Amino acid sequence: MLELITTYKLQLAYTVAIIIILVILQVILRTAAHKVGKRSEINITRTRLMFKYINILIFLIAFFLFSFAWGMGPDKIAIIFSSTFAVIGVALFAIWSILSNITSGIIMFFSFPYRIGDKIRIHDKDMPIEAVIEDIKAFHLHLRDDDGELTTYPNNLILQKAVTLVQKDVYLDEGKDSL
């Protein structure tokens, strides 16, 4: 065991340094996302979704840095990443709308002016919708209309359509009536 440690002393030191740096980076990014979520009064489930995205980013960075630390050359890493991204690219081309909705969900986390509980009107010429935002997921919004009908609306479309705020936080107003 001691021989193994002495043989790979430099790689082990790099590994420990990478882990420490990535843990610090993860804490900083998660804290920033939490502060943005709290300041913007974003639902905690949406903030947790950002935490998942941060974890994926940290994992990809870790894989790349560990590969270098353990002696894999840039040419081999390039082959691995290009092959992986080629396969992923073909797969994502087939399901581009899912990627578009996830990207829209991330954009909405930081800049969507409406909150869960707000009643909105979506100005869509084919299917106008007036409903309360019940939940905001990674791929779509859950909208409940006055008849109690649940509509799922894709995130990428909500960013492309004109949206009007009809009533702020309907759930709070309903709670006032019951007092």
Side-chain angles (χ1 to χ4, degrees):
M1 180 71 170
L2 186 58
E3 183 181 320
L4 187 68
I5 291 174
T6 56
T7 304
Y8 296 107
K9 181 172 43 174
L10 189 60
Q11 288 90 346
L12 291 172
Y14 286 151
T15 300
V16 169
I18 290 168
I19 290 171
I20 290 170
I21 290 169
L22 289 179
V23 166
I24 291 169
L25 180 63
Q26 183 180 31
V27 168
I28 290 169
L29 290 174
R30 288 175 66 111
T31 302
H34 183 70
K35 284 182 181 180
V36 167
K38 195 171 189 176
R39 184 174 355 113
S40 302
E41 298 176 1
I42 295 172
N43 190 312
I44 190 68
T45 55
R46 291 187 59 213
T47 304
R48 287 185 186 136
L49 184 63
M50 284 298 112
F51 292 166
K52 288 180 185 178
Y53 294 149
I54 289 168
N55 289 340
I56 291 169
L57 175 68
I58 294 295
F59 176 78
L60 290 173
I61 293 171
F63 177 77
F64 185 72
L65 293 176
F66 287 147
S67 298
F68 272 128
W70 285 90
M72 191 179 286
D75 55 333
K76 292 181 181 172
I77 292 174
I79 290 171
I80 291 172
F81 273 101
S82 63
S83 301
T84 303
F85 285 124
V87 170
I88 290 172
V90 169
L92 290 180
F93 179 75
I95 53 171
W96 67 269
S97 65
I98 291 175
L99 181 62
S100 172
N101 283 319
I102 290 173
T103 306
S104 299
I106 293 171
I107 292 169
M108 287 170 53
F109 177 79
F110 290 106
S111 64
F112 195 56
Y114 310 110
R115 307 275 180 257
I116 293 173
D118 290 352
K119 187 170 189 175
I120 61 171
R121 180 179 303 118
I122 301 170
H123 302 278
D124 186 352
K125 67 178 183 174
D126 297 328
M127 185 181 148
I129 297 173
E130 185 170 317
V132 175
I133 301 174
E134 195 170 271
D135 200 0
I136 302 173
K137 302 284 188 181
F139 300 103
H140 54 269
L141 295 170
H142 285 183
L143 303 171
R144 184 141 337 248
D145 65 13
D146 292 334
D147 297 330
E149 184 176 313
L150 180 68
T151 303
T152 57
Y153 202 81
N155 287 341
N156 62 346
L157 290 182
I158 196 81
L159 294 180
Q160 296 174 17
K161 304 290 181 182
V163 179
T164 305
L165 178 65
V166 175
Q167 185 177 356
K168 191 88 175 146
D169 211 347
V170 172
Y171 297 134
L172 285 179
D173 292 340
E174 287 176 359
K176 290 177 186 174
D177 292 340
S178 63
L179 292 176

